[in-house]
Amino acid sequence: MARILGVGIATLDIVNSVAAYPPEDAEVRARVQRVGRGGNCANSLVVLSQLGHDCAWGGVLADEPDAARITDDLNSYGIDLGPVRHLAHGKVPTSYITLNQQNGSRTIVHYRDLPEYRYEDFQTIDLSRFGWLHFEGRNIADTARMLELARASRPLTPRSVEIEKPRPGIEQLFPLATVLLFSRDYVHAQASSDPGYFLHDMHRRAPQADLVLAWGEAGAWALSRSGQLMHSPAFPPPQIVDTLGAGDTFNAGIIDALVRRLALTEALEAACRLAGRKCGHTGLNFVGQYA
Ligand code: ADP
Ligand code: FRU
């Protein structure tokens, strides 16, 4: 087990479950509504803490009532909020999510108007406490400086970076990570659709990193820093009920497996198994539950 620091966002998620995905301009009734905490980094930490890791979160919170939903939830998993930057004004990022009960698909409309976590905030954290550092690929200039600081001061501590969206300049993070966690959306945004081809291309830019690419119901691919390409199928549950946070769960599965010193090929399969189980449960509180 490790002490893991995650830097990224936590959100308020308003999730409406519908019988079928509505056409544009329709008016439909949600069958169920749940309101809770989300956010890629926070989701991954919540899963990692259920796997027994000691987690801390570095992100931004606004001083407003919805922030309590986020802090209450993270506290309930024992996640250390010491590195959080608190702002007197603003609104926590909010996602309006439509969950299709037919196939578990999630469609997200995200609203955000909150400053990002800064290098100055990160600089105050004692990195020697942590055995793994995980970052969302956002706020690129500051995140690059965080990664450089981590690399210089704790060269042996692994640094995973999630590359989910094609943000301007995000490639400058590639050489600074030891593990890069790509999404299918990112690959498509590069006008690519071939996982193997994409990963070999990325390997040229980040030869120092293990590269991982989740691909929904087709499982996931990885390319080790030594150049070995591998694939794991997905492990669908008996019924797919909720794919929200499947990618964040998958990332947690990779980090957990690599902390436990599994080989990359084993980590890939373990992460697909974990994310598959998640798809059979509503929400992220599933790890201790019977599969
Ligand atoms: P995101 O949540 O970012 O859209 P993906 O859709 O790529 O993430 O899914 C992440 C992982 O979750 C996949 O690699 C796979 O292992 C698992 N997964 C996602 N959708 C399914 C599904 N329909 N059946 C089984 N496993 C799935
Ligand atoms: C799921 C998720 C949601 C959040 C959105 C942020 O991966 O983290 O919980 O609202 O993505 O982009």
Side-chain angles (χ1 to χ4, degrees):
M1 298 301 118
R3 297 186 97 181
I4 299 172
L5 171 68
V7 175
I9 64 167
T11 60
L12 181 74
D13 283 0
I14 300 172
V15 187
N16 288 317
S17 296
V18 294
Y21 192 77
E24 185 173 348
D25 206 29
E27 179 179 338
V28 298
R29 188 169 286 204
R31 286 182 166 174
V32 185
Q33 185 179 76
R34 69 186 147 94
V35 181
R37 180 216 43 78
N40 292 10
C41 177
N43 283 343
S44 295
L45 292 176
V46 157
V47 175
L48 283 164
S49 70
Q50 292 173 69
L51 292 167
H53 301 284
D54 200 354
C55 298
W57 177 53
V60 183
L61 283 176
D63 184 12
E64 53 107 351
D66 283 336
R69 287 181 183 270
I70 294 173
T71 51
D72 287 354
D73 184 70
L74 295 176
N75 282 330
S76 76
Y77 289 99
I79 294 172
D80 173 13
L81 304 182
V84 169
R85 174 186 178 203
H86 293 272
L87 296 177
H89 303 286
K91 172 84 193 85
V92 295
T94 305
S95 292
Y96 304 88
I97 300 168
T98 304
L99 193 65
N100 180 351
Q101 289 184 327
Q102 279 177 347
N103 58 10
S105 84
R106 88 292 181 270
T107 303
I108 305 176
V109 177
H110 185 64
Y111 175 72
R112 157 167 203 102
D113 180 22
L114 193 70
E116 296 275 359
Y117 200 64
R118 305 165 306 184
Y119 174 74
E120 289 71 23
D121 309 311
F122 182 78
Q123 225 182 0
T124 64
I125 303 172
D126 175 9
L127 297 183
S128 69
R129 291 166 50 210
F130 299 102
W132 191 286
L133 306 174
H134 174 65
F135 300 81
E136 271 180 47
R138 54 188 306 118
N139 187 22
I140 306 303
D142 280 43
T143 304
R145 292 180 71 200
M146 294 179 207
L147 284 161
E148 279 162 2
L149 175 67
R151 183 175 63 178
S153 61
R154 310 296 305 170
L156 300 181
T157 306
R159 302 174 299 276
S160 52
V161 183
E162 180 196 44
I163 308 293
E164 191 192 44
K165 296 189 178 71
R167 301 194 158 99
I170 198 165
E171 320 74 48
Q172 63 183 275
L173 305 182
F174 296 176
L176 301 171
T178 60
V179 179
L180 286 166
L181 300 158
F182 292 100
S183 75
R184 180 166 49 177
D185 283 354
Y186 182 79
V187 177
H188 287 152
Q190 307 309 304
S192 179
S193 58
D194 180 333
Y197 183 87
F198 170 84
L199 288 174
H200 278 111
D201 193 27
M202 292 302 120
H203 182 62
R204 280 192 286 278
R205 299 187 190 192
Q208 83 295 340
D210 290 320
L211 309 178
V212 179
L213 170 57
W215 206 267
E217 52 297 325
W221 275 262
L223 184 64
S224 68
R225 55 190 87 180
S226 62
Q228 189 196 350
L229 184 67
M230 51 200 93
H231 172 253
S232 167
F235 294 88
Q239 194 190 349
I240 295 183
V241 297
D242 175 15
T243 62
L244 180 64
D248 309 329
T249 301
F250 173 86
N251 290 347
I254 292 286
I255 293 169
D256 169 67
L258 294 179
V259 163
R260 292 188 289 114
R261 301 202 175 279
L262 297 190
L264 188 58
T265 173
E266 295 165 324
L268 198 62
E269 180 178 326
C272 284
R273 286 188 185 279
L274 186 72
R277 273 185 61 205
K278 186 268 142 318
C279 295
H281 289 270
T282 300
L284 289 175
N285 190 355
F286 72 98
V287 177
Q289 295 192 26
Y290 184 64

